[in-house]
Amino acid sequence: MQERILVTKDKIYLGLIEELKLKPLTSLTDRDVIKTAHVSSGTFYKYFRNLTDALRCLENNFLESYTSCLKADLSLWHVEELFNSDKVKCMVESDLNQTFEFWNHHSEDLLILVSQNGEKYFYDKLISQTKSEIKQLLGRYSKIDQNINITSNKLKMDQFSEQLAVSEVTTLIWSYKHLEYLSRNDIRKSVAEILINSPCNLILNNEKVAN
C-alpha cells in the first residue's frame, strides 16, 4: 500500500514538473497538474490540498535529501585542513560524493524548481540548509583552533556562512545549467574554487596569519 502511495505521488510530482517546464507557477492550476499526471481529481486531493501543497511537499522532499547528503559529506571533512588549498580541492573531489550524486541525479528537476517558473522559497531554503551545515562545519573548527575568533562572533559567523552558501549553491545551479560545456569534474573544480576563494575562507586565513 505504501509503495502504491509513493508511486501515485511521484506521478503527481512528475506532472507538476512537466507543467513548470511550460509555464510559471502563477499560471498553473490544480487541473493542469491533474491532467498531465494522468490521475483523477479525487486521487490528487486525497494526497494534496492544492497545487501549492503538492509543490511544497516535492520541494521539502528534495531539501531533506540534499541536506542529508551534504551533512554526511561534510562530516568526513578534516576541518583543520580548511586553510590548505590543495587539501580543500582534495576534500571536494573525494568527500562531497553524496552531494554531487544528488545533483547529478536530480539536476533537471532542481533547475526547474529554482527557475523563474518556480517559487523563490525553494532557492531560499537551499541557501538556508547549506548555510546551516557550513556553520556547523565552522563550529567544529573553533573547537580545534581557539585562536580563530570568527567563530565566537555570531554575526560574523552568520554573515560568512551565508556568503559561502550563496556562492556554493549559485555555482552548482550555474554549472548544471551549462552541462553541455562542463564535465562533472569541471563542476567539482568550480565548487572547490568557491570554497578556497570565499570571503569566509580568506578572512579566516587572515586571522590565522595574524595569530
Side-chain angles (χ1 to χ4, degrees):
M1 178 65 72
Q2 186 65 27
E3 183 177 351
R4 184 181 301 174
I5 292 173
L6 293 176
V7 169
T8 301
K9 285 186 174 182
D10 282 344
K11 287 179 64 177
I12 295 171
Y13 294 147
L14 180 59
L16 177 53
I17 289 292
E18 290 301 314
E19 283 296 317
L20 284 173
K21 290 178 182 179
L22 302 175
K23 50 190 173 184
L25 177 64
T26 52
S27 299
L28 287 183
T29 66
D30 294 356
R31 187 61 194 164
D32 291 330
V33 176
I34 290 168
K35 182 178 179 180
T36 302
H38 302 292
V39 297
S40 68
S41 296
T43 297
F44 179 86
Y45 292 115
K46 178 179 180 180
Y47 300 114
F48 304 108
R49 293 188 300 275
N50 50 40
L51 169 64
T52 302
D53 184 39
L55 176 62
R56 193 55 50 84
C57 288
L58 173 60
E59 291 171 332
N60 287 338
N61 287 345
F62 277 132
L63 288 167
E64 183 178 346
S65 296
Y66 168 70
T67 303
S68 176
C69 290
L70 185 60
K71 184 186 292 291
D73 284 339
L74 293 184
S75 70
L76 301 175
W77 282 41
H78 301 287
V79 290
E80 68 275 13
E81 296 177 345
L82 287 174
F83 298 104
N84 186 314
S85 297
D86 291 334
K87 294 291 186 181
V88 170
K89 288 181 180 178
C90 182
M91 287 190 289
V92 170
E93 291 175 1
S94 61
D95 294 328
L96 271 183
N97 290 329
Q98 291 190 48
T99 303
F100 282 119
E101 273 302 307
F102 170 82
W103 277 86
N104 289 342
H105 187 66
H106 300 292
S107 60
E108 184 177 350
D109 292 344
L110 295 171
L111 292 179
I112 294 296
L113 293 175
V114 299
S115 71
Q116 293 184 346
N117 282 4
E119 62 174 356
K120 194 171 182 292
Y121 166 86
F122 185 64
Y123 173 79
D124 288 343
K125 289 296 288 184
L126 277 176
I127 298 296
S128 176
Q129 297 296 92
T130 305
K131 173 183 172 181
S132 176
E133 296 306 317
I134 290 172
K135 286 178 73 172
Q136 290 186 42
L137 180 66
L138 293 177
R140 282 165 52 202
Y141 188 85
S142 69
K143 296 177 182 178
I144 293 175
D145 193 336
Q146 298 297 325
N147 291 322
I148 303 302
N149 58 37
I150 186 176
T151 53
S152 65
N153 185 319
K154 291 184 178 180
L155 185 60
K156 276 188 177 181
M157 184 85 146
D158 191 75
Q159 176 187 1
F160 296 136
S161 296
E162 178 145 356
Q163 289 175 336
L164 185 51
V166 170
S167 297
E168 179 181 334
V169 171
T170 53
T171 297
L172 285 167
I173 291 171
W174 185 91
S175 297
Y176 279 95
K177 281 182 178 178
H178 297 85
L179 277 178
E180 66 269 31
Y181 306 112
L182 299 172
S183 67
R184 297 294 197 276
N185 191 48
D186 289 333
I187 295 175
R188 286 179 180 259
K189 289 179 180 178
S190 296
V191 172
E193 289 299 318
I194 286 295
L195 291 171
I196 293 166
N197 296 312
S198 71
C200 175
N201 203 52
L202 292 174
I203 292 175
L204 283 173
N205 270 291
N206 288 337
E207 290 196 2
K208 183 74 171 178
V209 171
N211 287 308

